Amino acid sequence: AKLNQKDNYEAGDFARLIDSTIKEQANELSKTSQWVDSKVKEKVAELNQKEDYEVGDLSRLIDSKVRDKVAKLKEKDKYEAGDLARLIDSAIKEQAKEISRSSQWVDSKVKEKIAKLNQKDNYEAGDFARLIDSTIKEQANELSKTSQWVDSKVKEKVAELNQKEDYEV
């Protein structure tokens, strides 16, 4: 009741209060939106060196700026159709070359490391497979020796616990 400046609450007061608040907020938002719109149009007109904004001015301004920048990047006086596509194409090709150079560098470093691990001066095809194969065989051999040693110690302990000199099955 106090919000509606009345002494007593009546059915519908809250709904009317909400409705009027929403309308006030919408009105303020509309005014703000109109103000922003007018400021943007003024700025676009100013950038186009015109007195008044016309529909399409912003698009033409952006198009003009892009064309000028592309022409400058292409070291030309004026933009020509296809310049942007060619500029993008050359940039992509340059990036591809850089990636290829990086890939070749990584490849050479990996091959140098594999050659060094194989105690060779130069990498040859198959060196990596041979390195892996020899490493696996060495590890398997070490595992086998360890297994045999553990087996012998277990048999010694079993014989000792059975109070015998040798392990018997």
Side-chain angles (χ1 to χ4, degrees):
K2 298 262 186 225
L3 290 174
N4 281 336
Q5 300 170 352
K6 296 167 108 180
D7 290 332
N8 295 319
Y9 174 81
E10 295 177 13
D13 281 351
F14 185 68
R16 282 187 288 282
L17 175 64
I18 295 292
D19 184 58
S20 68
T21 302
I22 290 173
K23 286 178 181 174
E24 286 173 22
Q25 293 298 316
N27 190 30
E28 287 300 314
L29 183 59
S30 177
K31 287 177 186 177
T32 302
S33 176
Q34 290 170 3
W35 180 85
V36 168
D37 185 59
S38 71
K39 292 299 178 191
V40 168
K41 287 177 179 177
E42 285 175 19
K43 188 65 178 172
V44 171
E46 179 185 318
L47 289 170
N48 277 318
Q49 299 172 347
K50 293 170 68 175
E51 235 178 88
D52 295 317
Y53 170 83
E54 295 175 23
V55 174
D57 280 351
L58 181 59
S59 298
R60 285 188 291 280
L61 177 65
I62 292 170
D63 183 62
S64 170
K65 297 290 182 191
V66 169
R67 286 172 181 257
D68 290 347
K69 186 69 175 177
V70 170
K72 188 175 183 179
L73 289 170
K74 295 285 289 175
E75 299 175 350
K76 296 167 83 174
D77 292 332
K78 187 177 179 186
Y79 174 87
E80 295 175 28
D83 281 350
L84 181 58
R86 285 187 289 279
L87 185 66
I88 291 169
D89 183 59
S90 68
I92 289 170
K93 286 178 180 174
E94 190 56 39
Q95 287 298 313
K97 286 178 189 175
E98 184 59 35
I99 290 168
S100 177
R101 283 191 292 271
S102 297
S103 176
Q104 290 168 356
W105 180 84
V106 168
D107 184 61
S108 72
K109 294 300 175 189
V110 168
K111 287 177 178 177
E112 284 176 20
K113 186 68 175 175
I114 292 170
K116 187 176 180 181
L117 289 170
N118 278 321
Q119 299 170 349
K120 296 169 71 176
D121 292 332
N122 296 312
Y123 171 85
E124 294 176 26
D127 282 351
F128 187 60
R130 284 188 287 281
L131 177 64
I132 297 227
D133 183 57
S134 68
T135 303
I136 289 171
K137 286 178 181 173
E138 287 172 18
Q139 293 298 315
N141 189 30
E142 287 299 314
L143 184 58
S144 176
K145 288 179 186 176
T146 302
S147 176
Q148 290 170 4
W149 179 84
V150 169
D151 187 52
S152 71
K153 293 300 176 188
V154 168
K155 287 179 180 177
E156 284 176 16
K157 194 63 174 173
V158 169
E160 182 185 311
L161 290 171
N162 285 329
Q163 299 174 344
K164 296 187 177 184
E165 270 201 41
D166 291 324
Y167 172 79
E168 295 175 14
V169 179

